Amino acid sequence: MSRPTVVIGNWKMNMKIKETIDFITELSPMLSKTQGKVCLSVPSTLLKVASEAARGSEIEIGAQDVSQYESGAYTGEISTTMIQDSGGEFSLIGHSERRMYYHEDDEMIKEKVTRAILGGLVPVLCVGETQEQKESGQTEKVLLDQLEKALGFLNENEASAVIIAYEPVWAIGTGHAATPEIAQEVHGVIRGFVRKKWGEKNAFRTPILYGGSVSPDTIKELIKMPDIDGALVGGASLKVEAFAKIVNISRETKS
Ligand code: 13P
């Protein structure tokens, strides 16, 4: 038995209300009936409208970031409860754009993971090395460090709620995805981390997604790899046909 695929579209700072409704209405009938999860990670202004448009369909809606605090005087932030109140079921945490442009550090990312888990929101932890780190042979060290700091404190049950996305910074938005072989090698390291910390059961069921220039052309070879369970898709998730293709190719290749 293999793990069901998980494909998440990360819309980043794009899309408006009408486009959201149209996208979700069009996407739903395009999806193949094969088993697998399909999710959209939308700007917070669209959480409610997206979850209403997705009601009754298999599409799950989530956020792109979540506060590490429960509530209070944190101008501009949104909490786990607010995301859920708007119909969100998960949140990306530690995306490289948050790490780079908003200086999120490992401690903050750990607090966000904790808060999400306490509140019953699925954390999608993003990890990945920069071009420089890759070139100096530090990929494995950087990833294990990011994983340990963000997740190392979880118990087996808490860890079973987590989705992990490997997004090499050098592949994001460049049009050059990692080769399937490179991505598989890193996914194997990530699954090895999960196995060592929480055992075989968690290692088997934790979805590990690849992100970075995923397109209808690159997905097929990536998803064939044994430890690649799905994708976190940026640019190509803004076009409904391309996104549906990525979801369907993933499902059909893995099934
Ligand atoms: P692209 O698919 O546009 O490279 O973005 C990847 C990403 O950052 C998804 O979170």
Side-chain angles (χ1 to χ4, degrees), residues 10 12 92 95 97 167 171-174 211-214 232-236:
N10 174 11
K12 307 193 179 182
L92 305 185
H95 192 282
E97 288 151 16
E167 295 210 306
I172 296 178
T174 60
S213 297
V214 171
L232 180 52
V233 187

Side-chain angles (χ1 to χ4, degrees), residues 34-73:
T34 326
Q35 187 197 15
K37 238 179 187 324
V38 53
C39 313
L40 291 170
S41 189
V42 304
S44 48
T45 51
L46 298 175
L47 277 170
K48 189 157 164 47
V49 74
S51 39
E52 280 169 1
R55 190 171 296 147
S57 79
E58 59 175 307
I59 303 162
E60 292 179 27
I61 303 300
Q64 298 173 5
D65 185 29
V66 60
S67 172
Q68 67 270 47
Y69 304 112
E70 196 173 349
S71 65

Side-chain angles (χ1 to χ4, degrees), residues 20-152:
T20 300
I21 298 170
D22 290 348
F23 186 107
I24 292 172
T25 314
E26 285 170 37
L27 176 62
S28 198
M30 286 181 180
L31 299 172
S32 80
K33 297 288 164 261
T34 326
Q35 187 197 15
K37 238 179 187 324
V38 53
C39 313
L40 291 170
S41 189
V42 304
S44 48
T45 51
L46 298 175
L47 277 170
K48 189 157 164 47
V49 74
S51 39
E52 280 169 1
R55 190 171 296 147
S57 79
E58 59 175 307
I59 303 162
E60 292 179 27
I61 303 300
Q64 298 173 5
D65 185 29
V66 60
S67 172
Q68 67 270 47
Y69 304 112
E70 196 173 349
S71 65
Y74 301 104
T75 302
E77 293 291 281
I78 60 166
S79 69
T80 294
T81 318
M82 290 169 173
I83 292 169
Q84 290 166 319
D85 190 41
S86 299
E89 297 179 68
F90 67 91
S91 180
L92 305 185
I93 295 179
H95 192 282
S96 62
E97 288 151 16
R98 303 281 331 159
R99 293 181 194 250
M100 279 188 304
Y101 306 147
Y102 303 97
H103 312 293
E104 291 196 3
D105 61 15
D106 289 318
E107 184 56 31
M108 192 190 286
I109 290 164
K110 171 186 172 181
E111 288 172 9
K112 290 183 176 203
V113 169
T114 311
R115 180 64 57 199
I117 287 180
L118 284 175
L121 194 70
V122 174
V124 180
L125 175 73
C126 304
V127 294
E129 82 286 9
T130 62
Q131 174 87 36
E132 211 179 11
Q133 290 164 334
K134 177 178 185 279
E135 280 167 7
S136 57
Q138 293 182 71
T139 301
E140 185 167 335
K141 180 181 167 295
V142 167
L143 289 171
L144 291 175
D145 195 52
Q146 289 176 346
L147 289 165
E148 180 61 39
K149 286 183 172 146
L151 305 176

